[in-house]
Amino acid sequence: MRVDDEHLTRPLLVLVGGLAVVLALTLLLTTGASATRGPDRAAAENMLTWVNEERALHGLPPFAGAPDVALVAERWSADMALRRELEHNPRYAEQLCCWELAAENVAFSDPYATWRPGDPVERVTEELHLALLDSPSHRENLLHPDLDEIGIGVHVHDDGSVWITQNFRAAAP
């Protein structure tokens, strides 16, 4: 019995070619769908430290970190990064539980505007922290004596932009 190589080669090439197309489409769709690297909780913790240091300079107690508030902030930062649009969360107050007073700061850094690839994200978040302090309305939220809890979301986009949300809450008794 003789095996005809041509009849085996053609189906094998079609199969390999089909698999290559499926793999290429899968990579294209999954990398295109994921436009963000994700939350950077270490950068958020650093920002909380800087915020509390600033509050101490003004004789204010430190903010307590609130995980539920941080989750709202992380989700909003991710949403802004995905849409590439800076805006306040129109629903943050209803997404927070158990509050008497609530406020929000949002900020972002253009990709590599003031930093370079390889720089730590913390450098960018420090620059954004200083920019928020320079803005009277954002500074008011950061130094508001009646707000006692904060959640910070820092999200890094694949293009290098950094998106920040700070949600504040005065917890209800």
Side-chain angles (χ1 to χ4, degrees), residues 11-167:
L12 185 59
L13 287 176
V14 170
L15 177 65
V16 169
L19 288 173
V21 169
V22 168
L23 178 61
L25 285 173
T26 301
L27 288 173
L28 179 65
L29 292 174
T30 57
T31 55
S34 174
T36 60
R37 293 182 202 159
D40 191 320
R41 292 191 177 110
E45 285 296 320
N46 285 338
M47 183 169 267
L48 175 60
T49 299
W50 301 322
V51 166
N52 281 335
E53 287 172 354
E54 188 67 26
R55 287 177 65 84
L57 290 174
H58 295 273
L60 297 169
F63 281 124
D68 61 319
V69 179
L71 184 60
V72 172
E74 282 181 3
R75 287 179 179 161
W76 188 247
S77 291
D79 184 77
M80 289 189 300
L82 188 62
R83 292 181 297 112
R84 310 262 314 122
E85 186 175 337
L86 181 70
E87 66 179 341
H88 285 282
N89 180 349
R91 296 183 48 234
Y92 84 94
E94 67 190 57
Q95 293 170 346
L96 299 178
C97 171
C98 316
W99 58 272
E100 282 184 33
L101 177 65
E104 178 180 69
N105 288 343
V106 293
F108 88 106
S109 172
D110 282 325
Y112 311 119
T114 57
W115 59 297
R116 300 288 173 253
D119 285 352
V121 173
E122 288 81 7
R123 178 171 166 231
V124 181
T125 54
E126 183 175 23
E127 290 172 7
L128 290 171
H129 168 68
L130 294 173
L132 289 168
L133 285 173
D134 285 341
S135 164
S137 60
H138 295 101
R139 182 181 185 84
E140 182 180 341
N141 289 339
L142 289 163
L143 300 177
H144 198 294
D146 296 330
L147 295 169
D148 54 11
E149 295 182 336
I150 190 172
I152 301 173
V154 176
H155 205 88
V156 181
H157 191 280
D158 279 344
D159 70 2
S161 58
V162 178
W163 300 79
I164 292 175
T165 304
Q166 298 172 329
N167 288 130

